[in-house]
Amino acid sequence: MLQIVYALFALSLFTGLPAIIGMILTLIAGQNLNDDMLLSHYRYQIRTFLIMIVATIIGTILTWFLVGFAILGLTWLWFLYRVLKGWVML
């Protein structure tokens, strides 16, 4: 399941809907985990998604002041880094 969620997160770098689907899968599948390593990956995915959403909202609001474009670009790069790091560490 973790592989699928990371793949959906990677796909969401081009369109946002797969990240939402991945988050739903994470919340559903993460309820029955006993393994600490897998549980840490699920927490990592949830944290990554939530921070990405907040940063995207802030960046979108601040595009009126042009600084939002930089925030959106940095958010995209940060999300890419987090997805690749989590996927490789799996």
Side-chain angles (χ1 to χ4, degrees):
M1 181 64 75
L2 287 168
Q3 298 283 350
I4 294 170
V5 173
Y6 280 120
L8 287 169
F9 278 7
L11 248 163
S12 73
L13 289 164
F14 307 104
T15 176
L17 186 61
I20 296 168
I21 295 169
M23 188 63 203
I24 292 169
L25 289 176
T26 299
L27 292 173
I28 291 171
Q31 294 174 355
N32 303 323
L33 289 179
N34 295 327
D35 185 12
D36 286 339
M37 193 270 301
L38 293 178
L39 192 58
S40 72
H41 272 280
Y42 278 99
R43 273 192 234 118
Y44 184 84
Q45 289 174 338
I46 291 169
R47 224 176 282 134
T48 299
F49 177 81
L50 292 176
I51 293 170
M52 186 265 308
I53 289 294
V54 169
T56 300
I57 290 170
I58 291 170
T60 302
I61 291 169
L62 291 177
T63 54
W64 290 94
F65 304 108
L66 300 179
V67 71
F69 293 111
I71 293 172
L72 290 173
L74 290 172
T75 301
W76 190 89
L77 288 173
W78 175 83
F79 188 69
L80 173 65
Y81 167 76
R82 295 274 294 194
V83 169
L84 291 177
K85 179 183 173 190
W87 213 344
V88 167
M89 298 303 276
L90 187 61

